[in-house]
Amino acid sequence: MTLTTVLPSLRRSIPDPIERRAWPEHTVAEVRDVTVAGVSLTRLAELEGTPCVMTGDLAHPHTQDARRRGIGMDVTVLVFRVTLRVDSQDGRRLALVDCTTHDLPIQWEHCRLIGRASTAKTAMVDIVPGDVGAPTWPYNQAALPTDLVEGDLLAVPCTGALALRDVKPGRAAQDAGMSPDADEPDENWAGRCGK
C-alpha cells in the first residue's frame, strides 16, 4: 500500500509510484501522465489514437548479460480508453474499453489512470474488452479510482513485445467476415452466412 492509496488527495502533488521492474527502462511516473524514454503516453494516445502500444526493454542491472542468456527483456505498454463505465446491480464496477485483452500477458496489478489526476479512492474495476467475441465474466480486474468515467485513458504494462494488431479489437470482426477497418462486410460474408 502506498501513501497515495491511503491519502488519495496527495495524487494532485505527487504521482502514484510505479514498480520499475514491470515497466520499460526510463519510465517516469508523473502526476497526470507516464513518460517512457521521454515520450508522454497521454500525447502518444492523442497522436496515434487508442488503443496504442509502446515497446521497450525491461530495466535490468546487467542488460547485456541477460540478453546473452536469453532472458526476456521486452515489455509493452498498452494505452487504451474507457468507452463506457457502469455499475452492475450486484455492485460490480465495469469499464468497457476500446481494446482486446483476451489471452494477453497484461499485468493488471500495474494498471493506472493517465491524462488526469484523481483524488478518489481506488476500487476493483472489471475490465470488459471491446471486441465482439470477447470472453464473458469473470473479467480481468484492476484497482482504479472510483471516479473513473467514459473517455479516461489507462496505461498498463504487458510482458513481451506486442504489436498493435494484438490489441486492436478487429479479430472478432474478421471472424464474422467484417474487415477490421471497415463498416461493410467483405464480399464473401454473405456466402459464409448462407445468404
Side-chain angles (χ1 to χ4, degrees), residues 77-90:
V77 178
L78 168 61
V79 180
F80 55 102
R81 191 173 300 279
V82 175
T83 56
L84 181 66
R85 227 307 272 135
V86 295
D87 293 329
S88 68
Q89 290 180 343
D90 60 353

Side-chain angles (χ1 to χ4, degrees), residues 42-123:
T42 303
R43 185 71 177 133
L44 179 68
E46 287 173 9
L47 293 173
E48 299 295 324
T50 57
C52 57
V53 294
M54 176 180 245
T55 302
D57 288 335
L58 283 172
H60 193 281
H62 307 288
T63 305
Q64 296 299 334
D65 183 50
R67 284 199 180 109
R68 224 178 357 266
R69 292 186 296 148
I71 296 173
M73 297 295 297
D74 292 325
V75 62
T76 301
V77 178
L78 168 61
V79 180
F80 55 102
R81 191 173 300 279
V82 175
T83 56
L84 181 66
R85 227 307 272 135
V86 295
D87 293 329
S88 68
Q89 290 180 343
D90 60 353
R92 299 184 76 86
R93 299 173 191 279
L94 298 126
L96 182 68
V97 297
D98 65 354
C99 67
T100 185
T101 60
H102 184 61
D103 291 335
L104 295 179
I106 298 172
Q107 300 178 45
W108 290 111
E109 65 274 20
H110 301 294
C111 188
R112 60 189 297 129
L113 174 69
I114 61 172
R116 70 178 177 94
S118 171
T119 58
K121 291 183 179 182
T122 58

Side-chain angles (χ1 to χ4, degrees), residues 16-56:
D16 274 331
I18 60 170
E19 174 58 55
R20 298 217 178 269
R21 291 174 293 183
W23 294 80
E25 225 173 359
H26 311 296
T27 297
V28 177
E30 299 174 5
V31 172
R32 291 178 179 83
D33 203 357
V34 172
T35 58
V36 179
V39 177
S40 158
L41 295 181
T42 303
R43 185 71 177 133
L44 179 68
E46 287 173 9
L47 293 173
E48 299 295 324
T50 57
C52 57
V53 294
M54 176 180 245
T55 302

